Amino acid sequence: MKFLIAPGKYHDSSISSKLVGQAIYSGISRALPNAQIVTMPVTDSKYGMPALVAHTIGGRWVDLPFFDAFWQNKMGTYLLTNIDSQDTAIIDTEQIVGPELATSKTRNDLFHATSYGIGEFIMDAVTSGIHEIVICLGTSETFDGGLGALQALGAKIYDEGGDLIPEGENPLINGYEADLDDVYRILRKVRITVLLSYSSSYESKEKRDYLSETQKDFLEDNLLYITEKINKKYNLDIHPMPHSGAIKTLAGAFAMMRAHISRSSFEWIANVTGMDETIRSADVMITATDEVSAESMHDEILFHLSKIAGYSKMPTFVLCNNFIDDFEDYEQLFTGIFSTQMSNYSTKVQDEQLVFEHYESIANQLARTLGAFHNVNH
């Protein structure tokens, strides 16, 4: 019997997906010493999907100084790897514009934040001769519709008086029209793929501020206006929906770059790294998450794994910290759902070891049960 262990990400940063996978591995191997066990290359790295690719097919990290959303000098990194015989840059945006950066920032700081740093990463890859660029577009705390990123790539954005809006500011506040000629010239031989992934595992434990509804409405109205002018000038067909979060998702700006936008980041990575074949080769899959809920099912890994397992008619079990209400809604996705909570504990630092012991114990019991049925049927 071949087991595939593939934990999802945990919202509680004190719980390591990698260590959960190791605990499940230990539980299965104690019950079935001769079982084949394959662990998916889950990573808890802050560099997200690029780190998962690096773990699977290799590559080298490129360090880069850049301006973050609040115009602070930072050092970041992106992955250079080879996919389908093409040198490819893979960039994770959360280090540039992610929610962790917004901690302790004021409403005014958020209003003026810019996505300029994303464009800096793209420009660095392009000037290094890379023609394939993959953007892992996670949760953003900028509200400029991606116009800042376009500025870093040569876009000229003007206010109503015809004055050029300087870099380092949210260009959407005073933006009236845009010249993207230099952007298209720079990217003319470049293919950009955008992987949408908004299931960030980061949860702020500190008080933080948010834009007011008036500020959001103002910026959304400006984005609709300037996008329509860009559509007419460059024969595009981009129409941000009102109240859709377009000022924050940044996807519209990538559409202006004529990028290919994919809604499943993990599915793309599973395809290019050969993970799909590994998944389909297993007899039983065991995954894990905090809880089985509507929120957790937005996790790219859980959703993609359950979909492939369903196509392959593979028994799939999920281990979670807690049961929740509406449990029945997810029964059709998994063969079985097991809680690891065998006593009253909270997932705090002092309980980490207990959490992993419970995962190991439940995995051991599940493996012994599956082994018994396997022996009876053979």
Side-chain angles (χ1 to χ4, degrees), residues 64-76 95-97 101 103 105 109 112-114 116-117 120-121 168:
L64 177 69
F66 71 97
F67 288 105
D68 73 5
F70 303 99
W71 211 243
Q72 299 296 307
N73 283 302
K74 296 283 180 66
M75 284 297 297
Q95 61 182 314
I96 312 167
V97 296
L101 299 171
T103 302
K105 299 298 182 183
D109 292 331
H112 290 273
T114 172
Y116 186 89
E120 288 186 283
F121 274 72

Side-chain angles (χ1 to χ4, degrees), residues 290-338:
D290 308 66
E291 59 184 25
V292 180
S293 64
E295 182 179 1
S296 67
M297 285 313 299
H298 288 142
D299 183 293
E300 289 283 352
I301 296 176
L302 273 183
F303 180 78
H304 186 68
L305 292 177
S306 64
K307 185 170 74 171
I308 292 180
Y311 290 153
S312 304
K313 301 188 184 307
M314 182 195 308
T316 305
F317 301 90
V318 59
L319 312 186
C320 60
N321 290 341
N322 294 298
F323 287 126
I324 62 162
D325 295 333
D326 302 323
F327 171 76
E328 296 82 3
D329 292 345
Y330 306 98
E331 286 181 332
Q332 70 273 23
L333 296 175
F334 303 105
T335 310
I337 302 175
F338 297 88

Side-chain angles (χ1 to χ4, degrees), residues 44-311:
D44 297 302
S45 169
K46 65 180 179 179
Y47 299 118
M49 290 297 179
L52 189 57
V53 173
H55 186 97
T56 310
I57 62 174
R60 67 178 179 90
W61 294 100
V62 177
D63 295 327
L64 177 69
F66 71 97
F67 288 105
D68 73 5
F70 303 99
W71 211 243
Q72 299 296 307
N73 283 302
K74 296 283 180 66
M75 284 297 297
T77 189
Y78 65 92
L79 181 70
L80 275 184
T81 189
N82 191 280
I83 297 174
D84 294 332
S85 301
Q86 294 288 326
D87 289 335
T88 303
I90 304 182
I91 301 166
D92 187 279
T93 64
E94 289 204 15
Q95 61 182 314
I96 312 167
V97 296
E100 188 171 358
L101 299 171
T103 302
S104 302
K105 299 298 182 183
T106 66
R107 180 173 291 176
N108 187 61
D109 292 331
L110 294 171
F111 187 64
H112 290 273
T114 172
S115 60
Y116 186 89
I118 296 175
E120 288 186 283
F121 274 72
I122 296 172
M123 181 66 85
D124 188 79
V126 171
T127 55
S128 298
I130 304 301
H131 294 167
E132 297 283 340
I133 299 175
V134 178
I135 307 292
C136 299
L137 189 59
T139 304
S140 167
E141 285 303 327
T142 59
F143 299 85
D144 68 350
L147 295 185
L150 292 173
Q151 279 184 310
L153 291 168
K156 297 178 179 65
I157 301 175
Y158 300 93
D159 62 21
E160 192 170 1
D163 293 325
L164 190 66
I165 294 175
E167 300 165 349
E169 170 63 86
N170 179 349
L172 197 53
I173 296 174
N174 295 309
Y176 183 76
E177 60 182 351
D179 180 344
L180 304 184
D181 289 355
D182 285 344
V183 177
Y184 294 131
R185 177 182 59 78
I186 289 168
L187 299 179
R188 68 187 184 279
K189 295 182 180 180
V190 178
R191 183 170 65 176
I192 297 178
T193 300
V194 178
L195 308 179
L196 302 182
S197 178
Y198 303 128
S199 55
S200 170
S201 61
Y202 175 78
E203 288 188 350
S204 176
K205 300 186 185 327
E206 300 181 40
K207 185 177 179 181
R208 52 155 301 179
D209 215 339
Y210 298 89
L211 289 191
S212 68
E213 290 303 314
T214 300
Q215 289 174 315
K216 288 181 182 177
D217 290 344
F218 170 78
L219 292 175
E220 285 187 350
D221 287 344
N222 281 7
L223 181 61
L224 291 173
Y225 180 81
I226 198 169
T227 300
E228 284 306 313
K229 298 196 77 169
I230 291 172
N231 281 341
K232 290 178 181 178
K233 184 173 183 179
Y234 294 101
N235 194 29
L236 301 176
D237 188 25
I238 301 167
H239 302 285
M241 296 294 292
H243 310 296
S244 65
I247 55 174
K248 191 174 180 180
T249 63
L250 314 182
F254 286 103
M256 294 175 190
M257 299 179 204
R258 300 188 173 100
H260 170 71
I261 298 177
S262 170
R263 295 193 173 275
S264 178
S265 56
F266 185 79
E267 183 172 3
W268 179 89
I269 287 174
N271 286 333
V272 301
T273 61
M275 288 185 196
D276 278 357
E277 295 179 13
T278 301
I279 295 169
R280 291 189 177 93
S281 70
D283 299 307
V284 177
M285 179 158 60
I286 300 178
T287 185
T289 186
D290 308 66
E291 59 184 25
V292 180
S293 64
E295 182 179 1
S296 67
M297 285 313 299
H298 288 142
D299 183 293
E300 289 283 352
I301 296 176
L302 273 183
F303 180 78
H304 186 68
L305 292 177
S306 64
K307 185 170 74 171
I308 292 180
Y311 290 153

